[in-house]
Amino acid sequence: MRVLFAARDGLWPEWSPVLARLAPEMVLVRAEDAAADPAGIDAILYAPGGPVEDLSPFVNARLVQSLWAGVERIVTNPTLTQPLARMVDPGLARGMAEYCTGWALRAHLGMDGYAQDGVWRHGLTPPLAGDRQVTILGMGELGRAVAAMLGGIGFRLAGFSASGRPVPGVQVFGPDGLDQALAQAEILISLLPDTPGTRNLLDARRLSRLPKGAWLINPGRGTVLDDQALLALLDSSHLGHAVLDVFRTEPLPPAHPFWSHPRVTVTPHIAAETRPETAAPVAVENLRRAMGNRPVLYLVDRERGY
């Protein structure tokens, strides 16, 4: 099995030893080695920012396995004719759940209200988690992982997804229920992918549906959010705070108003990283499935974009 590692150079020392250990039958090659015989490549491991954008020479590749959970940077590539699988990494899901839980608890407990200024603010006791409503936009693998962790703490959970598919312990709203899901969200977590249907979904009208003082946590995709609408609602104190990990332009430019806004916390796209130790077994399983003409896991629906 000859596999092209189509990712930036810095990822090679992280991934190649793990892949070699898990799949000794794999011959892992880099772009410069594949150029001499692209027809001899059986599959491609892909991450944005690497040296390969034109996939058309790899006519015999049975699979392009993304090393990222998000596939918006490749799914629209006109040279992509091979089946594409997204990465569903248990380590990434765990990292996302921990990130969202940490920031949700900060919002829930009102940790920012206890300034160390000598004032005894005894009246700021928060409610219990069972009295706090959290809404999660996007109930895929990541959304379910976040819901499981938050549900274990006791939060009341609602979710929104395009399918409206039931999730245990979560009141799930389908496509027609977005406004209702937002209206009860004291803490809103957006895990939606970047698709034509989600871009600017959280505009001024929808953000205004959130209860006064609500927190927004967005570790999903920056394109979902109307930045100016968010800033206006934070300035008016309709929204309490925004924790933002993803942005339309990354790195976030130093002059962007998010950096200096007192009601915004910026984190540098670190909510959930793909970790080779937990992600490589998923990639290897899919490569073996493709080579054995068996059904591949997590195939991307090109029309839906994920």
Side-chain angles (χ1 to χ4, degrees):
M1 175 169 51
R2 191 172 174 84
V3 177
L4 168 62
F5 189 78
R8 59 183 175 83
D9 288 343
L11 295 180
W12 176 265
E14 299 177 18
W15 281 85
S16 56
V18 182
L19 290 167
R21 185 179 75 247
L22 293 175
E25 77 276 22
M26 180 192 304
V27 177
L28 194 64
V29 300
R30 303 172 89 163
E32 56 269 29
D33 300 316
D37 182 22
I41 295 298
D42 297 309
I44 300 170
L45 295 173
Y46 177 91
V52 177
E53 291 299 331
D54 183 2
L55 301 171
S56 58
F58 306 103
V59 292
N60 293 320
R62 301 187 187 186
L63 178 68
V64 175
Q65 171 66 57
S66 175
L67 300 182
W68 283 16
V71 293
E72 66 273 7
R73 300 267 295 272
I74 184 175
V75 72
T76 58
N77 186 327
T79 69
L80 175 68
T81 57
Q82 305 87 348
L84 172 66
R86 59 192 175 87
M87 172 56 66
V88 177
D89 169 16
L92 187 151
R94 176 75 189 192
M96 180 65 81
E98 291 181 2
Y99 178 95
C100 292
T101 298
W103 289 106
L105 282 171
R106 174 185 166 187
H108 166 63
L109 296 173
M111 290 179 177
D112 295 341
Y114 301 98
Q116 302 302 292
D117 56 4
V119 177
W120 190 257
R121 295 177 175 85
H122 186 69
L124 296 180
T125 305
L128 296 176
D131 297 320
R132 181 79 72 188
Q133 181 73 48
V134 179
T135 294
I136 303 167
L137 304 183
M139 294 306 300
E141 297 284 340
L142 297 181
R144 293 195 297 273
V146 171
M149 191 170 288
L150 290 174
I153 295 171
F155 286 106
R156 290 187 290 113
L157 299 176
F160 166 81
S161 71
S163 68
R165 188 179 301 114
V167 176
V170 181
Q171 181 187 13
V172 178
F173 294 90
D176 297 331
L178 178 58
D179 282 357
Q180 189 177 353
L182 294 173
Q184 63 188 39
E186 296 173 89
I187 301 171
L188 179 68
I189 300 172
S190 177
L191 297 171
L192 292 169
D194 176 19
T195 70
T198 64
R199 288 168 199 150
N200 295 310
L201 187 71
L202 295 180
D203 56 13
R205 184 188 72 79
R206 292 195 176 97
L207 289 171
S208 297
R209 296 283 296 172
L210 293 168
K212 184 173 176 58
W215 276 51
L216 167 66
I217 302 169
N218 183 22
R221 286 293 180 263
T223 53
V224 170
L225 186 63
D226 181 329
D227 292 358
Q228 295 307 311
L230 173 62
L231 288 167
L233 287 163
L234 290 167
D235 287 339
S236 71
S237 296
H238 180 79
L239 296 182
H241 200 91
V243 179
L244 308 175
D245 188 58
V246 288
F247 308 92
R248 293 174 182 271
T249 301
E250 295 185 4
L252 186 67
H256 197 287
F258 283 158
W259 283 113
S260 57
H261 200 286
R263 294 177 183 267
V264 175
T265 298
V266 170
T267 60
H269 204 144
I270 46 78
E273 290 290 325
T274 301
R275 295 167 172 83
E277 287 293 341
T278 55
V282 178
V284 167
E285 172 65 18
N286 255 356
L287 293 174
R288 287 173 173 158
R289 283 172 173 260
M291 295 303 103
N293 295 315
R294 294 182 288 131
V296 170
L297 303 173
Y298 317 123
L299 275 177
V300 171
D301 183 325
R302 303 288 180 87
E303 292 186 5
R304 295 169 66 189
Y306 61 94

